[in-house]
Amino acid sequence: MMNIKIRRPRIEDMKELNQFFNIVITDTFAKEGISNQVESMNEEIETKGIYLENDFESNGEKRFFLIALDNEKIIGSIEYGPASDLILNCTNHALKGLPEVGTVFVHPDYQKNGIGNLLLKNMYVTLQNKGIEEFCLDSGYCNAQKIWKKKFGEPDYLVKDYWEKGYDHMIWKINVSDILI
């Protein structure tokens, strides 16, 4: 049985976390069949690194990360921060001011073991403790969309063929108290 610990990242975790983002995002692009979109993949990796820097620079005020560890090895991440421009543009700014939960990543070797659910539960409690009642979450990855639909139902916003034909973008608006019941 794994010994999973959830905690805030420390500055000394930065290098390992950036390597973790690289591994997970590269694996996700491969599983989605979009490995050829190298520029998009690199942008995604870079953006997650910037989000992490924002967390450290603001002491969790601009971005707030939690990480999952198995015997001190980083195996998962989750964060919240301001809703992305993508979410704002796709919702005609209807979700402006609502925090976005994202960077919900689990190392490929640890997927389908409940790590993502553990991270989500910890984030829900964190949001509730900070007085945050609602958040949004989005996904353009087909595999992740299946997981989110199972967990949260149909998306509140569906942008058909956003990425290209057959690749939609989905956005959910979620009430924290509804999922903490």
Side-chain angles (χ1 to χ4, degrees), residues 11-181:
I11 197 77
E12 58 267 21
D13 297 321
M14 189 174 252
K15 182 178 178 186
E16 184 182 352
L17 261 167
N18 280 308
Q19 291 169 339
F20 168 78
F21 296 151
N22 194 340
I23 290 166
V24 175
I25 293 168
T26 301
D27 179 70
T28 300
F29 271 63
K31 287 177 179 169
E32 292 286 328
I34 55 174
S35 291
N36 60 329
Q37 296 181 18
V38 176
E39 189 175 322
S40 293
M41 184 170 54
N42 289 335
E43 278 179 27
E44 176 98 1
I45 293 165
E46 184 180 338
T47 297
K48 299 310 178 185
I50 291 168
Y51 285 2
L52 183 60
E53 287 174 15
N54 288 338
D55 181 338
F56 288 130
E57 289 167 0
S58 71
N59 197 26
E61 292 299 314
K62 290 184 180 170
R63 292 276 167 189
F64 185 94
F65 272 83
L66 293 173
I67 57 173
L69 300 106
D70 180 23
N71 293 317
E72 298 308 310
K73 176 186 176 184
I74 297 171
I75 60 165
S77 68
I78 191 169
E79 56 87 20
Y80 83 87
S84 68
D85 288 341
L86 174 58
I87 288 174
L88 296 177
N89 292 335
C90 287
T91 63
N92 199 24
H93 293 266
L95 303 180
K96 186 176 172 84
L98 210 58
E100 170 190 2
V101 169
T103 317
V104 186
F105 293 153
V106 176
H107 191 285
D109 296 343
Y110 290 82
Q111 291 174 359
K112 298 187 169 99
N113 286 304
I115 313 291
N117 285 327
L118 185 61
L119 283 161
L120 282 164
K121 285 177 187 166
N122 276 268
M123 184 56 76
Y124 301 154
V125 171
T126 298
L127 292 170
Q128 188 177 49
N129 289 342
K130 290 180 177 278
I132 297 170
E133 297 175 10
E134 291 182 310
F135 67 91
C136 57
L137 180 141
D138 73 329
S139 180
Y141 300 127
C142 296
N143 291 317
Q145 289 171 348
K146 291 174 192 163
I147 294 167
W148 299 131
K149 284 168 85 173
K150 187 175 176 185
K151 188 170 287 309
F152 300 123
E154 290 299 314
D156 295 285
Y157 299 87
L158 172 65
V159 186
K160 295 290 288 173
D161 303 324
Y162 181 84
W163 299 103
E164 62 183 61
K165 185 117 178 93
Y167 289 89
D168 305 332
H169 197 76
M170 298 181 183
I171 303 166
W172 290 262
K173 181 180 175 187
I174 301 152
N175 189 307
V176 176
S177 61
D178 289 347
I179 50 181
L180 278 175
I181 295 171

